[in-house]
């Protein structure tokens, strides 16, 4: 089917955190399941050029694409749902928009003109939206507008949506997500916040075509009709979005509500009869009916905000489902672990992950946790800084280099087992200058990782500045830590593993970014399966507790 690209905008009203990202990803999944090629883009109204310079407490995880964009964590949901890679063009921020408009102004592209929000900023926004359509790869582009309608920051984006709707008519559609709160005192669902937020959109000149209403209770026909009448949408376009036990249920809830059918009809696109969701349903069934349960520790310094490790916890959910296992993640603060209490803090875990991170805080706790995993033969996965800490721990406690460290933490160590490459030493600008994006890695055929990946060459995504120091490689190998994956261009060690341990792997890259529902990441699948084995679980093990995700 050859069609011009259609554009769907997803806006949000009433409050933040209603789950626009999940609704956008669910709609995209349904359209994909009906045979359309879809991508999702996020427009973020903050002035940072990208979230790479933000602390995870501010913004949650920074997600990285194959082409090295540091992006909003919603892009992770898009990839996990669709299994289609995103790119630089899929995340646009106000910082990026203004940067390019100001660059153009300095070049003289607007010579003679006053540069203004309308049309210059809005034109730049529109061109970024159309960029994905122009690739010719997608029949439908879904653009999620960050923030809440009415915020000062979102205004230029909503104005760009108004203009695109006016210019493109039926090729554009606006889905507005709102909250329908339940008042327990009167036992009623209230529609007023939805009405008000649609009024705000109308003040900006945008009439939403579809309303998705987040609610704890079912919406009856009367309420649908009332919302439809007050908000000027068809009753069938008032979609109920009930709270779900897992985000992976949302596409099926949206399918029941016919969100995809309403959207396709409004865009004047055919609604293919077949919708292929068999694999998705099988995954969900496994997720909700686990046969085993394992307790896995995630050691990190941002554990108060679980969004900081979103992709890791989702990768564990995918890997758990494949293994018919509920992965019960224990969030362990690295600052609270030391050599004295580590046994007590980590007792009873069947697997330990040491998380990525930057800086000194909590580093010794991570190193103690790794020592525990190594000595007690608990399956261990170290990710990025977690891998670097595994190298430091091994150098200190096995190779006897007691002051071994990363020069990120101790620049004057006499054993810099983790260090900066010469090329990184010249860099003074912080934003966007780490080793970012996908790099190839060749696996040693004798290694555990080769038996896990079952292929010689892999590509994984990176986000770090420091590297394993190759000067020490020979010593490490002699002592029993193997460099089992190497970047073929620079001979950089990307994976380390222990020979005398049931499952001990550290990776310089971030495997979690590539785990999706249809392609759970082999390292996480292998890790969970090792945890099941160590826990000595038999097929008879029952899981009774309720699942959450
Ligand atoms: N801070 C380390 C580095 O820059 C690790 C980064 C990470 O864990 N993503 O190399």
């Amino acid at each position: 089917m050859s069609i011009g690209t259609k554009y769907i905008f997803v806006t949000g009203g009433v409050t933040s955190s209603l789950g626009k990202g999940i609704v956008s990803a669910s709609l995209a999944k349904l359209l994909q399941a009906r045979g359309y090629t879809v991508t999702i883009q996020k427009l973020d109204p903050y002035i940072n050029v990208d979230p790479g310079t933000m602390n995870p407490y501010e913004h949650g995880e920074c997600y990285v694409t194959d082409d090295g964009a540091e992006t909003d964590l919603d892009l992770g949901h898009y990839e996990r749902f669709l299994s289609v890679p995103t790119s630089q063009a899929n995340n646009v921020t106000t910082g990026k928009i203004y940067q390019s408009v100001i660059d153009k102004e300095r070049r003289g592209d607007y010579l003679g003109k006053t540069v203004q929000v309308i049309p210059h900023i809005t034109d730049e926004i529109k061109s970024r939206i159309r960029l994905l359509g122009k690739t010719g790869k997608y029949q439908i582009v879904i653009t999620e507008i960050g923030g809440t309608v009415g915020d000062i920051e979102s205004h230029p984006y909503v104005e760009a949506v108004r203009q695109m709707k006016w210019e493109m008519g039926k090729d554009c559609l606006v889905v507005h997500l709102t909250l329908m709160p339940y008042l327990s005192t009167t036992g009623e669902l209230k529609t007023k916040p939805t009405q008000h937020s649609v009024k705000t959109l109308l003040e900006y000149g945008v009439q939403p075509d579809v309303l998705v209403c987040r609610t704890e209770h079912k919406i009856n026909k009367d309420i649908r009709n009332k919302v439809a009448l007050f908000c000027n949408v068809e009753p069938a376009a008032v979609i109920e979005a009930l709270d779900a036990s897992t985000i992976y249920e949302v596409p099926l809830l949206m399918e029941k509500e016919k969100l995809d059918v309403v959207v396709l009809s409004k865009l004047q696109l055919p609604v293919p009869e077949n919708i292929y969701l068999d694999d998705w349903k099988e995954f969900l069934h496994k997720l909700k009916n686990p046969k085993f349960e394992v307790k896995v520790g995630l050691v990190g310094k941002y554990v108060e905000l679980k969004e900081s490790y979103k992709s890791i916890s989702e990768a564990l959910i995918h890997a758990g489902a494949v293994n018919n296992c509920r992965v019960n993640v224990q969030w362990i603060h690295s600052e609270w672990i030391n050599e004295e209490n580590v046994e007590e803090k980590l007792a009873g875990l069947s697997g330990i992950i040491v998380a990525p991170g930057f800086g000194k805080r909590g580093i010794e706790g991570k190193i103690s946790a790794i020592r525990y995993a190594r000595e007690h033969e608990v399956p261990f996965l170290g990710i990025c800084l977690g891998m670097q800490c595994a190298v430091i721990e091994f150098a200190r406690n096995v190779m006897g280099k007691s002051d071994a460290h990363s020069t990120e933490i101790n620049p004057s160590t006499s054993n810099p087992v983790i260090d900066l490459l010469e090329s990184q030493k010249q860099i003074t600008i912080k934003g966007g200058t780490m080793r970012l994006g996908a790099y190839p890695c060749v696996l040693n055929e004798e290694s555990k990782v080769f038996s896990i990946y079952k292929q010689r060459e892999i590509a994984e995504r990176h986000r770090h500045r420091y590297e394993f120091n190759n000067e020490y490689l020979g010593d490490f190998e002699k002592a029993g830590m193997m460099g089992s994956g190497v970047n073929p261009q620079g001979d950089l060690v990307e994976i380390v593993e222990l020979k005398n341990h049931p499952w001990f792997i550290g990776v310089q890259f971030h495997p979690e970014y590539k785990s999706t529902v249809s392609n759970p990441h082999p390292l996480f699948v292998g890790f969970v399966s090792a945890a099941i084995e160590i826990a000595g679980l038999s097929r008879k093990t029952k899981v009774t507790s309720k699942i959450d995700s």
Side-chain angles (χ1 to χ4, degrees):
M1 186 191 351
S2 148
I3 53 169
T5 309
K6 305 277 187 172
Y7 293 88
I8 300 174
F9 298 100
V10 180
T11 56
V14 186
T15 75
S16 57
S17 307
L18 286 183
K20 270 194 308 263
I22 301 298
V23 167
S24 305
S26 299
L27 171 59
K29 181 76 220 167
L30 294 179
L31 298 174
Q32 185 191 55
R34 290 213 187 256
Y36 288 95
T37 49
V38 194
T39 189
I40 320 176
Q41 177 187 45
K42 173 94 190 264
L43 305 183
D44 274 312
Y46 48 73
I47 295 167
N48 300 62
V49 170
D50 63 43
T53 51
M54 274 187 246
N55 188 310
Y57 290 131
E58 294 276 317
H59 188 268
E61 168 187 280
C62 174
Y63 184 80
V64 177
T65 59
D66 275 337
D67 65 351
E70 296 179 277
T71 74
D72 184 76
L73 58 75
D74 271 335
L75 272 78
H77 290 309
Y78 307 161
E79 288 204 17
R80 287 188 280 274
F81 275 51
L82 296 183
S83 280
V84 175
T86 53
S87 67
Q88 296 274 1
N90 291 72
N91 195 189
V92 175
T93 66
T94 296
K96 279 202 176 95
I97 299 283
Y98 272 81
Q99 194 176 45
S100 65
V101 169
I102 291 169
D103 284 349
K104 283 181 192 164
E105 188 276 334
R106 290 290 82 184
R107 271 204 317 262
D109 294 9
Y110 310 117
L111 226 46
K113 291 265 179 274
T114 309
V115 181
Q116 293 178 298
V117 173
I118 305 172
H120 302 99
I121 295 295
T122 47
D123 279 354
E124 185 66 29
I125 295 173
K126 288 193 290 179
S127 90
R128 300 283 182 135
I129 294 168
R130 289 205 179 93
L131 207 60
L132 284 164
K134 282 192 187 146
T135 60
K137 289 199 279 190
Y138 312 106
Q139 294 163 313
I140 302 171
V141 174
I142 299 181
T143 298
E144 178 193 342
I145 317 278
T148 307
V149 167
D151 295 349
I152 289 181
E153 292 93 336
S154 307
H155 199 157
Y157 293 103
V158 180
E159 167 60 17
V161 171
R162 184 195 68 78
Q163 293 179 17
M164 277 187 77
K165 264 202 114 184
W166 181 71
E167 287 160 11
M168 299 178 75
K170 290 282 180 210
D171 290 337
C172 266
L173 180 118
V174 174
V175 177
H176 187 55
L177 178 63
T178 71
L179 176 69
M180 211 174 267
Y182 178 76
L183 275 198
S184 55
T185 42
T186 55
E188 280 175 311
L189 283 174
K190 304 307 279 182
T191 63
K192 199 69 83 189
T194 299
Q195 295 178 38
H196 280 301
S197 113
V198 170
K199 282 217 176 81
T200 308
L201 257 185
L202 286 169
E203 275 169 28
Y204 294 149
V206 175
Q207 166 67 54
D209 302 283
V210 177
L211 292 177
V212 176
C213 306
R214 275 297 299 275
T215 165
E216 289 171 53
H217 295 274
K218 289 195 85 49
I219 302 177
N220 66 27
K221 213 171 156 204
D222 288 347
I223 296 179
R224 270 183 219 255
N225 287 337
K226 183 176 173 185
V227 172
L229 178 68
F230 279 95
C231 300
N232 216 11
V233 296
E234 285 168 37
V238 178
I239 305 289
E240 160 195 289
L242 276 172
D243 293 351
S245 61
T246 153
I247 54 169
Y248 298 106
E249 195 155 13
V250 179
L252 302 184
L253 293 177
M254 293 297 101
E255 188 206 2
K256 255 196 223 143
E257 284 288 296
K258 299 197 166 32
L259 174 62
D260 53 332
V261 176
V262 171
V263 160
L264 289 173
S265 316
K266 287 192 179 294
L267 288 171
Q268 299 184 332
L269 288 174
V271 183
E273 230 170 80
N274 284 340
I275 176 155
Y276 183 78
L277 287 167
D278 297 4
D279 293 352
W280 193 272
K281 286 180 183 163
E282 193 192 327
F283 160 77
L284 198 60
H285 178 78
K286 284 183 155 189
L287 180 63
K288 292 175 126 187
N289 300 284
K291 293 194 180 110
F292 315 114
E293 175 164 349
V294 289
K295 232 195 238 178
V296 159
L298 179 54
V299 180
K301 67 170 172 178
Y302 306 111
V303 292
E304 305 92 324
L305 184 72
K306 303 203 168 33
E307 299 275 283
S308 311
Y309 303 113
K310 195 76 198 158
S311 294
I312 297 178
S313 48
E314 296 304 319
L316 285 170
I317 289 171
H318 307 153
V322 177
N323 282 292
N324 294 303
C325 180
R326 180 188 176 197
V327 180
N328 178 348
V329 178
Q330 306 287 301
W331 302 83
I332 301 168
H333 205 302
S334 50
E335 272 187 302
W336 301 339
I337 303 180
N338 54 48
E339 282 292 305
E340 282 68 53
N341 68 12
V342 64
E343 301 263 343
E344 173 211 331
K345 293 265 182 218
L346 305 185
L349 296 176
S350 304
I352 294 171
I353 294 182
V354 173
F358 295 83
K360 190 173 181 209
R361 187 167 68 91
I363 203 114
E364 293 303 324
K366 287 185 171 174
I367 292 171
S368 299
I370 295 167
R371 178 178 196 163
Y372 174 91
R374 182 176 56 76
E375 292 180 347
H376 292 73
E377 301 201 334
V378 180
F380 165 79
L381 177 61
I383 302 175
C384 209
L385 182 63
M387 171 268 198
Q388 297 175 352
C389 288
V391 169
I392 297 165
E393 190 280 323
F394 194 81
R396 286 187 189 173
N397 301 322
V398 179
M399 293 157 66
K401 299 181 191 302
S402 59
D403 78 331
H405 224 317
S406 160
T407 50
E408 178 184 5
I409 318 293
N410 177 7
S412 55
T413 172
S414 54
N415 283 295
V417 289
I418 304 292
D419 198 7
L420 277 184
L421 291 182
E422 277 311 312
S423 52
Q424 276 286 342
K425 287 185 185 158
Q426 322 307 325
I427 292 173
T428 51
I429 289 175
K430 291 270 186 283
T433 55
M434 283 189 262
R435 179 143 84 103
L436 289 167
Y439 284 86
C441 173
V442 175
L443 307 183
N444 178 330
E445 290 184 30
E446 306 295 309
S447 65
K448 188 178 272 309
V449 278
F450 180 76
S451 72
I452 291 170
Y453 278 95
K454 297 187 176 56
Q455 65 195 75
R456 225 175 89 74
E457 187 164 332
I458 58 166
E460 293 281 7
R461 300 181 194 170
H462 291 249
R463 181 174 186 250
H464 57 97
R465 242 180 252 289
Y466 292 80
E467 307 280 352
F468 181 92
N469 184 344
N470 265 339
E471 280 181 28
Y472 291 88
L473 184 57
D475 294 350
F476 273 93
E477 304 231 325
K478 255 186 250 144
M481 181 175 264
M482 171 181 181
S484 51
V486 172
N487 175 305
Q489 283 130 22
D491 270 347
L492 298 169
V493 172
E494 313 277 43
I495 309 178
V496 294
E497 62 182 63
L498 289 184
K499 288 190 193 129
N500 296 322
H501 190 288
W503 211 100
F504 187 107
I505 295 171
V507 289
Q508 184 60 85
F509 47 80
H510 292 261
E512 69 273 21
Y513 294 146
K514 282 181 74 171
S515 186
T516 71
V517 167
S518 46
N519 284 312
H521 196 285
L523 276 178
F524 285 91
V525 174
F527 172 74
V528 172
S529 129
I532 294 172
E533 203 159 301
I534 291 287
L537 292 174
S538 75
R539 300 221 152 255
K540 287 185 198 113
T541 310
K542 286 266 185 299
V543 177
T544 46
S545 50
K546 210 177 136 265
I547 164 165
D548 56 6
S549 88

